[in-house]
Amino acid sequence: MSTLVVYASKHGATQGIAERIAAKLGEAGQEAEARPVEAVDDLASYEAFVVGSAVYAGHWQKEASAFVQRNRTVLASRPVWLFSSGPLGTEATDGKGRDLTVAAEPKEMEEFEGAIGPKGHSVFFGALDPGKLGFTERAIRKLPAARTMLPEGDFRDWTEIDTWASSIAHDLAQ
Ligand SMILES: Cc1cc2nc3c(=O)[nH]c(=O)nc-3n(C[C@H](O)[C@H](O)[C@H](O)COP(=O)(O)O)c2cc1C
């Protein structure tokens, strides 16, 4: 039995986080693999799940939310951890002094809490490479309100991600 790390990633930042979590679980002696949500069908052979998505305009990617909804019965019966990859930049708080990882909590999270009762949810800083963005995303970045929220760069905190993965491995080993 192994752990499946399922992810939805538009431009690769969330994929990198998911693969790192799977690798870290492996290092800790837990069998684990990372797969994009569209490449997952049968959940029966997994004992636990980590499900993650990039956050766009305050929401998880649709296919990740659909995965949770579609599989809520199985997910509710096994240990599940959720993560979101969202905030960008080097500041820990937004202009109003709110913790960015709290402000970036995706709107679906309350519903997921009720539907599957995850053991945890973490919001990690993400990454933005302007070269990968589509036309609409580039236009959104030019809006004055978005300019400070969407800086270019890779802000993923690998130490924080590793620590989270290690705590999951510890839980699984109990
Ligand atoms: C147009 C646009 C909108 C975004 N909206 C949000 C948002 O509402 N909340 C958030 O935390 N991050 C937001 N982000 C940042 C992304 O979630 C972040 O870059 C993430 O790591 C991207 O993951 P991916 O490469 O796997 O798609 C946005 C990024 C772009 C380009």
Side-chain angles (χ1 to χ4, degrees):
M1 294 291 271
S2 68
T3 299
L4 179 64
V5 184
V6 194
Y7 63 87
S9 179
K10 202 166 171 187
H11 299 304
T14 313
Q15 176 179 359
I17 295 173
E19 287 171 351
R20 178 77 166 227
I21 292 168
K24 204 71 198 168
L25 291 176
E27 275 172 34
Q30 297 293 329
E31 214 180 294
E33 60 174 327
R35 280 174 180 252
V37 67
E38 61 273 13
V40 175
D41 41 28
D42 189 13
L43 303 187
S45 60
Y46 298 100
E47 63 173 331
F49 299 90
V50 178
V51 187
S53 175
V55 179
Y56 285 92
H59 291 276
W60 261 28
Q61 291 198 259
K62 281 195 180 66
E63 58 271 32
S65 294
F67 172 86
V68 172
Q69 286 301 348
R70 190 167 67 243
N71 296 295
R72 62 185 176 280
T73 309
V74 177
L75 296 176
S77 70
R78 315 233 173 121
V80 178
W81 289 264
L82 306 176
F83 75 89
S84 303
S85 101
L88 301 166
T90 51
E91 299 296 321
T93 55
D94 67 10
K96 294 173 190 148
R98 287 185 307 171
D99 184 318
L100 269 182
T101 59
V102 175
E105 183 99 356
K107 300 204 169 41
E108 291 75 20
M109 216 32 70
E110 206 178 314
E111 177 192 333
F112 292 165
E113 299 276 350
I116 60 169
K119 287 177 80 75
H121 171 235
S122 263
V123 175
F124 297 120
F125 274 70
L128 187 150
D129 174 353
K132 291 183 177 170
L133 300 184
F135 178 80
T136 310
E137 291 172 319
R138 287 205 298 273
I140 291 170
R141 268 190 93 218
K142 287 189 186 134
L143 297 172
R147 208 164 295 182
T148 52
M149 301 291 291
L150 301 175
E152 170 181 359
D154 188 344
F155 306 99
R156 290 172 294 179
D157 183 339
W158 298 114
T159 307
E160 196 190 350
I161 292 162
D162 286 350
T163 303
W164 193 67
S166 296
S167 75
I168 292 175
H170 185 263
D171 248 35
L172 290 170
Q174 297 304 299

